[in-house]
Amino acid sequence: MTFKDAVKICIFQKFATFSGRASRSEYWWFFLAYILASFSFAILFLVLNGISGGFGKESGISTLGGLILLLGGLAMLVAILPSIAVTVRRFHDYNLSGWWVLAGLVLGMLPVLGWIATVVMMIIAALKGTAGNNRFGRDPAAAPDPLTIP
C-alpha cells in the first residue's frame, strides 16, 4: 500500500470504520501523514504569523496566524476519528479487541503509565498481524480486496 492509498482509505473510505483489519502499511502511512500535516500547520503558522508581524504584538498572534491556527486545529480535530479508527483496525489485525485502544488512550493520560501505554501501543501496531483470517475479518496483507476498485 502506498502513502496516497493509505490516506485515501483512512480519510475517504473508512473515516469512522472500526470494523475489519488494517495492514501495517496502512496504519504507518496514515500516521506519517498525520504527523506531516501537524508539522506543516505548525510551520505555516510560525511563518505567516512572523511575516504578518504577529510576534511583535502584545497578544503574540496576528489575525492571519490565528486563522491558520484555527484551521490547523480543526483539521487535527477532524483527523482524530480516522486515526483512532485505523488504530482499532490495526489492533484487530493482531487479533486484539478495539477496546484495548480505549484502555491505551485512557492510560495515556496518566503521567508514568502514559509513556508505557504509548510504547506498548506502538509495539502492537508494529507487529505483524495474524496470518490468514481471524475473528475480525480477512488478512489485509494476503490478497487485494475484490470489492476495492483500483
Side-chain angles (χ1 to χ4, degrees):
M1 176 172 298
T2 65
F3 178 84
K4 182 180 173 183
D5 292 337
V7 173
K8 184 172 71 171
I9 287 171
C10 290
I11 296 292
F12 298 111
Q13 294 176 359
K14 297 181 179 180
F15 184 82
T17 303
F18 294 90
S19 61
R21 297 166 67 175
S23 65
R24 285 187 286 184
S25 60
E26 179 183 345
Y27 175 81
W28 288 109
W29 280 126
F30 182 73
F31 184 73
L32 178 64
Y34 188 83
I35 296 298
L36 289 175
S38 299
F39 280 123
S40 297
F41 275 112
I43 290 169
L44 188 63
F45 166 73
L46 290 173
V47 169
L48 291 179
N49 195 50
I51 289 172
S52 61
F55 292 121
K57 295 183 176 182
E58 189 176 308
S59 68
I61 298 177
S62 69
T63 305
L64 185 59
L67 179 64
I68 295 299
L69 197 61
L70 178 68
L71 291 175
L74 288 175
M76 294 299 106
L77 189 62
V78 167
I80 286 175
L81 190 58
S83 66
I84 292 172
V86 75
T87 305
V88 167
R89 292 194 312 271
R90 182 73 206 120
F91 272 53
H92 286 175
D93 190 42
Y94 195 65
N95 208 18
L96 290 173
S97 171
W99 291 107
W100 285 107
V101 175
L102 179 63
L105 292 174
V106 170
L107 287 175
M109 295 181 212
L110 301 174
V112 175
L113 290 177
W115 287 98
I116 296 169
T118 301
V119 169
V120 168
M121 288 180 70
M122 289 182 74
I123 289 171
I124 291 171
L127 292 172
K128 185 176 181 180
T130 306
N133 297 339
N134 68 15
R135 63 186 171 140
F136 297 105
R138 65 171 199 80
D139 188 356
D145 187 359
L147 299 178
T148 303
I149 299 170

Short mmCIF file of all heavy atoms in Angstrom, two decimals, residues 36-60:
data_model
loop_
_atom_site.label_atom_id
_atom_site.label_comp_id
_atom_site.label_asym_id
_atom_site.label_seq_id
_atom_site.Cartn_x
_atom_site.Cartn_y
_atom_site.Cartn_z
N LEU A 36 3.00 14.69 9.44
CA LEU A 36 3.39 15.70 8.45
C LEU A 36 2.39 16.85 8.40
O LEU A 36 2.79 18.02 8.29
CB LEU A 36 3.54 15.07 7.07
CG LEU A 36 4.74 14.16 6.87
CD1 LEU A 36 4.70 13.51 5.48
CD2 LEU A 36 6.04 14.91 7.07
N ALA A 37 1.11 16.54 8.47
CA ALA A 37 0.10 17.59 8.48
C ALA A 37 0.22 18.46 9.73
O ALA A 37 0.11 19.69 9.66
CB ALA A 37 -1.30 16.99 8.38
N SER A 38 0.48 17.85 10.86
CA SER A 38 0.64 18.61 12.11
C SER A 38 1.82 19.57 12.02
O SER A 38 1.71 20.76 12.37
CB SER A 38 0.85 17.66 13.29
OG SER A 38 -0.24 16.81 13.44
N PHE A 39 2.96 19.06 11.57
CA PHE A 39 4.15 19.90 11.44
C PHE A 39 3.96 20.97 10.37
O PHE A 39 4.44 22.10 10.53
CB PHE A 39 5.39 19.06 11.14
CG PHE A 39 5.97 18.41 12.35
CD1 PHE A 39 6.13 17.03 12.39
CD2 PHE A 39 6.35 19.14 13.46
CE1 PHE A 39 6.65 16.41 13.51
CE2 PHE A 39 6.88 18.54 14.58
CZ PHE A 39 7.03 17.17 14.61
N SER A 40 3.26 20.65 9.30
CA SER A 40 3.03 21.63 8.24
C SER A 40 2.21 22.81 8.75
O SER A 40 2.53 23.97 8.46
CB SER A 40 2.31 20.98 7.06
OG SER A 40 3.10 19.98 6.50
N PHE A 41 1.16 22.52 9.51
CA PHE A 41 0.36 23.61 10.07
C PHE A 41 1.17 24.42 11.08
O PHE A 41 1.04 25.65 11.13
CB PHE A 41 -0.92 23.08 10.72
CG PHE A 41 -2.04 22.88 9.74
CD1 PHE A 41 -2.50 21.61 9.44
CD2 PHE A 41 -2.64 23.96 9.12
CE1 PHE A 41 -3.53 21.42 8.54
CE2 PHE A 41 -3.67 23.78 8.21
CZ PHE A 41 -4.12 22.52 7.93
N ALA A 42 2.01 23.77 11.85
CA ALA A 42 2.84 24.50 12.82
C ALA A 42 3.83 25.42 12.12
O ALA A 42 3.98 26.59 12.49
CB ALA A 42 3.57 23.51 13.73
N ILE A 43 4.48 24.91 11.09
CA ILE A 43 5.45 25.73 10.36
C ILE A 43 4.74 26.86 9.62
O ILE A 43 5.20 28.01 9.62
CB ILE A 43 6.26 24.85 9.39
CG1 ILE A 43 7.20 23.95 10.20
CG2 ILE A 43 7.04 25.68 8.39
CD1 ILE A 43 7.87 22.86 9.40
N LEU A 44 3.60 26.55 8.99
CA LEU A 44 2.83 27.57 8.31
C LEU A 44 2.40 28.67 9.28
O LEU A 44 2.47 29.86 8.96
CB LEU A 44 1.61 26.94 7.63
CG LEU A 44 0.78 27.83 6.72
CD1 LEU A 44 1.62 28.30 5.53
CD2 LEU A 44 -0.45 27.07 6.22
N PHE A 45 1.98 28.28 10.47
CA PHE A 45 1.59 29.26 11.48
C PHE A 45 2.78 30.15 11.85
O PHE A 45 2.67 31.38 11.89
CB PHE A 45 1.05 28.56 12.73
CG PHE A 45 0.95 29.47 13.92
CD1 PHE A 45 -0.03 30.45 13.98
CD2 PHE A 45 1.86 29.38 14.96
CE1 PHE A 45 -0.12 31.30 15.06
CE2 PHE A 45 1.78 30.23 16.04
CZ PHE A 45 0.78 31.19 16.10
N LEU A 46 3.93 29.54 12.12
CA LEU A 46 5.10 30.32 12.52
C LEU A 46 5.55 31.28 11.42
O LEU A 46 5.85 32.45 11.70
CB LEU A 46 6.25 29.39 12.90
CG LEU A 46 6.06 28.60 14.19
CD1 LEU A 46 7.19 27.59 14.37
CD2 LEU A 46 5.98 29.54 15.39
N VAL A 47 5.56 30.81 10.19
CA VAL A 47 6.00 31.65 9.07
C VAL A 47 5.01 32.79 8.83
O VAL A 47 5.40 33.97 8.77
CB VAL A 47 6.20 30.80 7.80
CG1 VAL A 47 6.38 31.69 6.57
CG2 VAL A 47 7.38 29.88 7.96
N LEU A 48 3.74 32.46 8.67
CA LEU A 48 2.76 33.50 8.35
C LEU A 48 2.54 34.46 9.52
O LEU A 48 2.32 35.65 9.31
CB LEU A 48 1.44 32.87 7.91
CG LEU A 48 1.48 32.14 6.57
CD1 LEU A 48 0.13 31.54 6.25
CD2 LEU A 48 1.93 33.07 5.46
N ASN A 49 2.60 33.96 10.71
CA ASN A 49 2.45 34.84 11.87
C ASN A 49 3.65 35.78 11.98
O ASN A 49 3.51 36.94 12.32
CB ASN A 49 2.28 34.03 13.15
CG ASN A 49 1.77 34.86 14.30
OD1 ASN A 49 0.78 35.57 14.15
ND2 ASN A 49 2.44 34.79 15.43
N GLY A 50 4.83 35.27 11.67
CA GLY A 50 6.02 36.12 11.70
C GLY A 50 6.01 37.16 10.60
O GLY A 50 6.38 38.32 10.82
N ILE A 51 5.58 36.76 9.39
CA ILE A 51 5.53 37.69 8.26
C ILE A 51 4.51 38.80 8.52
O ILE A 51 4.76 39.97 8.21
CB ILE A 51 5.18 36.95 6.95
CG1 ILE A 51 6.36 36.09 6.53
CG2 ILE A 51 4.80 37.92 5.84
CD1 ILE A 51 6.05 35.17 5.36
N SER A 52 3.39 38.45 9.09
CA SER A 52 2.34 39.45 9.32
C SER A 52 2.56 40.25 10.59
O SER A 52 1.73 41.05 10.97
CB SER A 52 0.96 38.78 9.33
OG SER A 52 0.89 37.83 10.37
N GLY A 53 3.69 40.03 11.25
CA GLY A 53 4.04 40.85 12.42
C GLY A 53 3.32 40.47 13.69
O GLY A 53 3.22 41.29 14.60
N GLY A 54 2.86 39.27 13.78
CA GLY A 54 2.11 38.86 14.97
C GLY A 54 2.96 38.74 16.21
O GLY A 54 2.48 38.95 17.32
N PHE A 55 4.24 38.42 16.07
CA PHE A 55 5.07 38.25 17.26
C PHE A 55 5.43 39.58 17.91
O PHE A 55 5.84 39.62 19.05
CB PHE A 55 6.34 37.47 16.91
CG PHE A 55 6.06 36.03 16.56
CD1 PHE A 55 6.43 35.52 15.33
CD2 PHE A 55 5.40 35.20 17.45
CE1 PHE A 55 6.16 34.20 15.00
CE2 PHE A 55 5.13 33.88 17.13
CZ PHE A 55 5.51 33.38 15.90
N GLY A 56 5.27 40.69 17.17
CA GLY A 56 5.55 42.00 17.73
C GLY A 56 4.38 42.56 18.51
O GLY A 56 4.51 43.54 19.23
N LYS A 57 3.23 41.97 18.36
CA LYS A 57 2.03 42.46 19.04
C LYS A 57 2.01 42.01 20.49
O LYS A 57 2.70 41.08 20.88
CB LYS A 57 0.77 41.96 18.32
CG LYS A 57 0.60 42.50 16.93
CD LYS A 57 -0.70 42.00 16.35
CE LYS A 57 -0.92 42.61 14.98
NZ LYS A 57 -2.18 42.21 14.40
N GLU A 58 1.16 42.66 21.24
CA GLU A 58 1.04 42.30 22.65
C GLU A 58 0.45 40.91 22.84
O GLU A 58 0.88 40.15 23.70
CB GLU A 58 0.14 43.33 23.35
CG GLU A 58 0.12 43.19 24.84
CD GLU A 58 -0.69 44.28 25.49
OE1 GLU A 58 -0.45 45.46 25.20
OE2 GLU A 58 -1.58 43.94 26.29
N SER A 59 -0.51 40.54 22.00
CA SER A 59 -1.13 39.22 22.12
C SER A 59 -0.24 38.13 21.56
O SER A 59 -0.36 36.97 21.93
CB SER A 59 -2.49 39.19 21.41
OG SER A 59 -2.30 39.30 20.01
N GLY A 60 0.66 38.46 20.62
CA GLY A 60 1.59 37.49 20.07
C GLY A 60 1.07 36.74 18.86
O GLY A 60 1.80 36.00 18.25
#
